[in-house]
């Protein structure tokens, strides 16, 4: 759905935006680009603080869907006041752009952190320490549980949409651009967007999604954090998507315990339950997923102390 928009956005000339004001906020420098515009470091003049400003050029958002997604993301996140969900400060538009102003997170996204780890010269240091990975996962699940209680399903969870605050070391869920709420259901229209590796089979098939769709994505992320990589085939996105629909049980090429000796039977069971191809067999909530990790960590720590 977003391929053309992504290409157009990657070629868009944002140079004249630097120094421009949107209300009380000034654009300082570009941070990155995605399917829904570009994100810039900015400055809030009244409170003298750094912010992040997401801009979507109106000429790249000719369709009603793109405009709706950008607007609805701001409205969705504005009501999700939680320490592990990115904070939206303001949103609006002028003659040329839609904009969102949000909390500036000083640190990498989880995808960047994983990539950095994979390049470490020492093989044993190419993945997060087990307790660190579980802490981050439980923080994300805490934010998701809150969102789910508010009737919001993220639908696009992946490492690139998890920000890590270097100052406090906490994880924050970002990019609710295709979130499903009580009032908005993009996938009910038969649209499939997202990254195939993290899409639940029902989402890949454009079927009904709910909180268990996010739980699947978090199971994949946990798998990746503990293994240091995802054991999947090197195939084009379309083929990966079709595999998720036609033969989802074959998507992973290795079991979790085959990727890291620290993944024991109990942890493998948690990962496999979260990523079950049948939503009915997954954890019923993010809280239940988190509690399973807490119980496992308690038992693991006790065993290590013996």
């Amino acid at each position: 759905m977003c391929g053309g928009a992504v290409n157009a956005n990657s070629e868009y000339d944002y140079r004249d935006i630097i120094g421009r004001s949107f209300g009380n906020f000034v654009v300082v420098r570009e941070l990155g680009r995605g399917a829904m515009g570009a994100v810039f470091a900015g400055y809030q003049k009244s409170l003298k603080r750094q912010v992040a400003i997401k801009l979507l050029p109106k000429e790249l958002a000719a369709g009603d869907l793109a405009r709706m997604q950008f607007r609805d993301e701001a409205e969705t996140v504005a009501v999700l006041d939680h320490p592990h969900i990115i904070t939206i400060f303001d949103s609006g538009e002028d003659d040329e752009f839609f904009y969102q102003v949000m909390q500036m997170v000083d640190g990498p996204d989880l995808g960047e952190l994983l990539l950095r780890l994979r390049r470490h010269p020492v093989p044993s240091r190419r993945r997060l320490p087990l307790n660190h990975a579980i802490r981050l996962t439980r923080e994300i699940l805490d934010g998701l549980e809150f969102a789910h209680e508010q009737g919001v399903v993220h639908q696009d969870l992946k490492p690139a949409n998890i920000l890590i605050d270097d100052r406090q070391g906490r994880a924050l869920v970002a990019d609710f651009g295709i979130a499903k709420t009580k009032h908005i259901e993009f996938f009910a229209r038969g649209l499939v967007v997202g990254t195939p590796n993290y899409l639940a089979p029902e989402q890949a098939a454009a079927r009904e999604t709910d909180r268990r769709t996010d739980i699947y994505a978090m199971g994949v992320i946990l798998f990746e954090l503990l293994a240091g990589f995802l054991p999947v085939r090197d195939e084009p996105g379309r083929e990966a998507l079709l595999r998720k629909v036609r033969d989802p049980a074959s998507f992973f090429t290795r079991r979790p315990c085959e990727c890291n000796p620290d993944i024991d039977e109990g942890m493998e069971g948690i990962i496999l339950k979260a990523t079950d191809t049948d939503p009915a067999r997954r954890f019923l909530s993010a809280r239940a997923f988190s509690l399973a990790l807490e119980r496992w960590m308690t038992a693991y720590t006790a065993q290590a102390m013996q």
Side-chain angles (χ1 to χ4, degrees):
M1 182 193 97
C2 296
V6 173
N7 291 337
N9 187 56
S10 65
E11 298 170 0
Y12 190 86
D13 187 355
Y14 285 99
R15 285 177 297 182
D16 291 341
I17 296 301
I18 306 303
R20 181 166 170 172
S21 293
F22 291 86
N24 189 37
F25 307 94
V26 181
V27 177
V28 177
R29 60 186 172 85
E30 184 175 336
L31 296 176
R33 305 190 185 194
M36 295 295 290
V39 178
F40 297 80
Y43 182 74
Q44 184 175 5
K45 292 177 283 188
S46 59
L47 296 180
K48 297 180 173 58
R49 65 177 174 183
Q50 286 189 317
V51 295
I53 303 174
K54 180 188 285 190
L55 297 175
L56 175 63
K58 289 187 172 180
E59 66 181 86
L60 301 185
D64 291 338
L65 179 59
R67 296 167 182 258
M68 190 190 318
Q69 285 182 258
F70 196 85
R71 181 201 65 208
D72 291 336
E73 178 186 9
E75 294 178 355
T76 296
V77 181
V79 301
L80 298 179
D81 184 11
H82 190 276
H84 295 298
I85 297 177
I86 201 79
T87 301
I88 293 280
F89 298 136
D90 195 12
S91 66
E93 62 181 284
D94 64 9
D95 291 341
E96 297 180 72
F97 294 91
F98 297 101
Y99 68 87
Q100 294 174 14
V101 182
M102 65 197 77
Q103 170 186 2
M104 170 67 86
V105 177
D106 187 12
D109 64 53
L110 192 54
E112 293 169 339
L113 180 59
L114 286 169
L115 183 61
R116 193 182 305 163
L117 286 170
R118 289 184 190 119
R119 293 171 175 168
H120 199 284
V122 180
S124 62
R125 301 286 297 277
R126 290 175 185 167
R127 52 180 176 258
L128 284 174
L130 189 146
N131 61 340
H132 189 184
I134 292 178
R135 178 181 63 80
L136 290 178
T137 301
R138 295 193 67 208
E139 288 179 354
I140 301 164
L141 288 169
D142 193 28
L144 285 178
E145 178 69 16
F146 181 80
H148 293 164
E149 288 176 349
Q150 309 307 310
V152 177
V153 181
H154 190 285
Q155 297 196 135
D156 194 22
L157 287 169
K158 56 186 175 183
N161 287 342
I162 307 297
L163 306 180
I164 308 299
D165 187 341
D166 278 346
R167 290 175 296 180
Q168 299 179 354
R170 63 182 172 135
L172 295 98
V173 182
D175 201 343
F176 284 76
I178 61 169
K180 173 180 174 180
T181 72
K182 295 176 182 177
H183 309 292
I184 305 155
E185 298 188 6
F186 288 112
F187 284 97
R189 305 176 188 180
L191 299 175
V192 178
V193 290
T195 305
N197 281 352
Y198 307 94
L199 286 181
E202 69 272 13
Q203 188 177 5
R207 297 196 300 267
E208 182 67 20
T209 58
D210 58 28
R211 63 178 62 195
R212 295 169 300 181
T213 303
D214 285 347
I215 287 169
Y216 178 94
M218 278 311 305
V220 177
I221 291 171
L222 176 61
F223 191 168
E224 186 171 9
L225 287 176
L226 295 182
F229 66 101
L230 274 181
V232 296
R233 294 167 180 79
D234 183 13
E235 57 188 1
R238 177 173 173 78
E239 291 184 20
L241 195 65
L242 289 174
R243 183 179 299 280
K244 278 284 177 75
V245 175
R246 297 172 179 172
D247 188 16
S250 72
F251 193 76
F252 298 114
T253 60
R254 296 165 66 183
R255 295 177 64 90
C257 65
E258 297 172 336
C259 301
N260 178 358
D262 290 334
I263 301 178
D264 63 13
E265 183 179 355
M267 178 55 70
E268 178 168 276
I270 291 173
I271 294 171
L272 295 179
K273 183 176 179 64
T275 58
D276 199 295
T277 59
D278 182 352
R281 293 198 293 262
R282 295 177 204 151
F283 292 104
L284 296 179
S285 68
R287 177 172 173 75
F289 189 172
S290 182
L291 287 174
L293 289 174
E294 181 182 29
R295 288 191 294 269
W296 182 88
M297 196 67 199
T298 299
Y300 179 84
T301 302
Q303 184 178 12
M305 294 177 64
Q306 292 178 355

